[in-house]
Amino acid sequence: MTERLRRLLRGADRADAPQVPAPRAVSADARVADSLRALLDDRAVPEAVRSELAHDFDRVERMLDKLERGELHVAVFGRVSAGKSALGNALLGHEAFRVGVLHGTTTQAAHAPLDEAAAPGLVLIDTPGINELDGEARERLAFDVAEVSDLVVFVADADLTRDELDALKLLAGTQRPLLLALNKIDRYGDDEQQTLLAHLRAKTEKLVRAEDVIPVAALPAPQRIVETDAAGREHVSEQPRPPQIAALRERLLAIAEREGKTLSAINAGLFAGRLSDQLTARIAETRRALATRVIRQYCIAKGVAVALNPIPVADLLAAAGLDAAMVVQLSRVYGLPLTRRESGRLVATICAQLAALMGAIWGVQLVSSALKGLSAGLSTVVTAAAQGALAWYATVLIGRVAEQYLIHGKSWGEQGAKRAVADIVRDLDRDSILREAREEILQRLKTRNRT
C-alpha cells in the first residue's frame, strides 16, 4: 500500500521495487480480517437483529474489502466553500469532486454516504460542509463517514470559527490521525501566513500536533500578467498557477509509511468492536423480549390450570411440571439448551430458595389447594383466582431467576443461588403482578363458564 501511495502522491510514472510489509502490520491485518469475517458469518445473530443492523453489516463488508485491497481512506472535512473538494482534486491530480462557488456544492452521492474518489492505495472522501443549512443532519453524515475512515484532513481558510472548532473537537474524539490544512494561503503575505499558522497551532494544540497544521493552496488564484506591445498598449492576461500542496502530500505519505495497513486495521477493528457491542445489546434485548413472552405464556397456563384443578395438592404437582417445561424453553432462547432433568433440578433449586424466603406465600397456596377439595369445589370461585394468581407469581419468579442463571452462562455467580433469588424477589413488584394475574384468570374463568 505504501508504494502505491507513493506513486499516487508523487505522480511517479514507474513502479519501484516493492517493499516488504512489516510482519507486525501483516499480522494485524490478518487478525482484524479474521474478526470481521467471524462477525459477518456469526450464525448466533438472529435474523431480525441482522436486518435491523444491515447498514452496519454492509460497512463491515466494505471494511473487509478495503483491508484486502490495502487501501487507506482519508476523509476531508471543513466549512462550506473552504476548498475541500478542490483540495481532494489537487491531491488526486484529476477532477474527481465537484468544485463550485455556490453555497454547499458538495451534497451527497447516490448509493453512498458521500462522494468518493478512489486511486490505488488511497481513497479520498469529500464531505458536505459542516455549516450547511440543514447542518445537523449533514454533520451526522460527515461524522458517520469519519468513523469508517483512517485519517481526517480538516480544511479551513482562515481563523477557526466556533462551529469549526467544535467540529474539530468531535473529529479528534474519533482517535483518527487528524491534519489541519490552512487553505487559500495565496491570499496572505508571508508574515500574515506565519502569524495565522502560529495562531491556529496554539488554538488547536490539544487537538492537532503542530507539524500537522499545514498551509496549502488547492486552487490558487491565477497569476495576473501585464504585457506591453510595440505601440505601448497594455494587455492583461491570467495564467493558472499549480496547487501548493507539497507539504500536505508529504505528510500524508509519511503517515502512510509510518503506520501503513496497521492504521486501517486498527480503525476497522474499533468499528467492529462497537458493532459487536451493539449486537450483544440487541441480541440481549431480543432474547429478553422473547423470554418475557415465554414466561407470560406459562404464567397463564399455570395460573389457569391451578385455578381450575379441584384436586388438593395435585394442581401444585402439575404446576411444577409446567415450570420445568418453561425453563427448557428459556434455555433454548438463550442458546444454552437444558435437558428436562437439568431443568427439573434447576427448578428444585430455585423453589428451595423461594421457600426459604417466602414460606408464608407457599403456605397460603397449599391451604387454598386443600380448601378447594374440602369444599367440593363450592369455594372455587372465591379461592381459585387467588391461588392461580399465586401460581402465576411463582412462575414469574422461577422464570426470571432461571433467566439470570442462563444469562450468566449457567452460573449463579460468586454469591450463589440464594442471592440471585433474593435479588429477583426484591426487584419484582409483587402486588402489580398479582393484580394482573387475578384479572387475567378471572376473565378466563368467566369465558370458560360462559362456554
Side-chain angles (χ1 to χ4, degrees):
M1 176 181 67
T2 298
E3 201 55 39
R4 290 197 295 271
L5 276 172
R6 185 188 300 278
R7 294 202 304 275
L8 170 70
L9 295 173
R10 290 183 176 173
D13 56 2
R14 64 180 182 82
D16 296 329
Q19 296 182 353
V20 178
R24 183 178 179 182
V26 173
S27 178
D29 284 347
R31 288 196 300 270
V32 172
D34 287 344
S35 68
L36 293 180
R37 291 189 190 94
L39 192 59
L40 291 172
D41 298 336
D42 189 355
R43 295 183 178 180
V45 179
E47 202 56 42
V49 174
R50 187 178 292 274
S51 177
E52 181 181 339
L53 299 176
H55 177 65
D56 294 304
F57 276 98
D58 288 342
R59 278 189 179 181
V60 171
E61 290 182 354
R62 292 197 298 271
M63 285 180 171
L64 185 57
D65 291 341
K66 181 182 74 170
L67 284 176
E68 292 174 346
R69 291 193 301 266
E71 292 178 348
L72 187 71
H73 284 202
V74 181
V76 186
F77 285 84
R79 186 170 41 80
V80 167
S81 302
K84 307 179 310 302
S85 301
L87 182 58
N89 291 337
L91 286 170
L92 289 172
H94 60 89
E95 297 294 319
F97 303 120
R98 290 191 302 161
V99 178
V101 296
L102 296 177
H103 187 78
T105 297
T106 301
T107 54
Q108 63 180 17
H111 312 300
L114 302 165
D115 291 331
E116 295 187 8
L122 179 66
V123 174
L124 292 182
I125 305 174
D126 190 26
T127 69
I130 61 173
N131 60 332
E132 290 279 18
L133 293 177
D134 53 346
E136 184 177 346
R138 293 185 186 277
E139 283 185 42
R140 285 198 302 269
L141 187 62
F143 299 138
D144 193 46
V145 172
E147 189 176 45
V148 293
S149 299
D150 306 308
L151 187 150
V152 175
V153 176
F154 192 93
V155 184
D157 60 1
D159 189 12
L160 296 176
T161 65
R162 180 182 295 275
D163 287 344
E164 287 176 310
L165 189 58
D166 289 344
L168 199 62
K169 290 176 181 177
L170 287 171
L171 289 168
T174 66
Q175 300 180 342
R176 268 73 177 158
L178 181 59
L179 307 181
L180 174 57
L182 174 60
N183 195 20
K184 304 180 183 179
I185 58 167
D186 54 301
R187 301 185 308 184
Y188 303 100
D190 291 341
D191 291 342
E192 290 177 310
Q193 182 185 139
Q194 293 306 316
T195 299
L196 183 53
L197 284 171
H199 175 73
L200 288 174
R201 286 169 178 147
K203 197 170 188 176
T204 62
E205 63 177 345
K206 295 182 179 179
L207 306 173
V208 184
R209 292 179 295 189
E211 63 268 28
D212 290 336
V213 180
I214 303 169
V216 297
L219 194 62
Q223 183 179 4
R224 189 170 181 268
I225 300 174
V226 180
E227 296 178 322
T228 305
D229 61 18
R233 291 189 298 267
E234 290 186 349
H235 299 274
V236 180
S237 62
E238 292 185 342
Q239 181 177 341
R241 290 190 291 177
Q244 300 174 40
I245 58 170
L248 178 60
R249 177 187 293 156
E250 291 302 317
R251 191 67 187 140
L252 286 171
L253 178 62
I255 292 174
E257 288 180 336
R258 183 179 68 242
E259 303 180 37
K261 291 184 178 180
T262 303
L263 182 62
S264 180
I266 289 173
N267 292 333
L270 288 172
F271 180 81
R274 287 191 291 273
L275 177 57
S276 181
D277 291 342
Q278 280 185 279
L279 285 173
T280 299
R282 288 297 298 116
I283 290 172
E285 290 175 13
T286 300
R287 285 175 169 170
R288 182 62 187 265
L290 182 55
T292 297
R293 290 198 295 270
V294 169
I295 292 172
R296 179 173 175 78
Q297 289 170 359
Y298 277 91
C299 283
I300 294 172
K302 182 177 173 181
V304 173
V306 169
L308 291 175
N309 195 333
I311 304 175
V313 185
D315 48 4
L316 303 182
L317 297 177
L322 286 173
D323 290 333
M326 175 184 66
V327 171
V328 169
Q329 291 290 334
L330 290 175
S331 72
R332 293 172 181 167
V333 168
Y334 283 94
L336 296 169
L338 295 172
T339 65
R340 190 61 178 259
R341 179 176 296 181
E342 289 173 327
S343 68
R345 287 199 298 265
L346 179 58
V347 170
T349 299
I350 296 172
C351 287
Q353 297 300 326
L354 286 172
L357 285 170
M358 306 174 67
I361 288 180
W362 310 129
V364 170
Q365 189 170 16
L366 286 170
V367 169
S368 296
S369 179
L371 179 62
K372 286 198 300 181
L374 291 173
S375 61
L378 294 178
S379 63
T380 297
V381 175
V382 178
T383 62
Q387 186 183 5
L390 287 170
W392 181 304
Y393 177 56
T395 300
V396 173
L397 288 173
I398 292 169
R400 289 305 181 196
V401 174
E403 186 181 13
Q404 288 302 305
Y405 175 80
L406 293 166
I407 288 174
H408 292 94
K410 295 184 180 180
S411 171
W412 294 116
E414 296 180 358
Q415 298 181 347
K418 181 177 180 180
R419 179 59 180 272
V421 172
D423 287 345
I424 295 296
V425 171
R426 183 196 65 228
D427 292 341
L428 289 178
D429 185 346
R430 184 183 65 185
D431 292 340
S432 65
I433 293 172
L434 290 173
R435 183 166 54 252
E436 177 192 2
R438 282 195 299 268
E439 291 173 357
E440 181 72 25
I441 291 169
L442 283 172
Q443 182 62 36
R444 289 177 179 269
L445 289 176
K446 290 177 182 177
T447 302
R448 180 184 174 87
N449 290 335
R450 282 198 298 267
T451 57

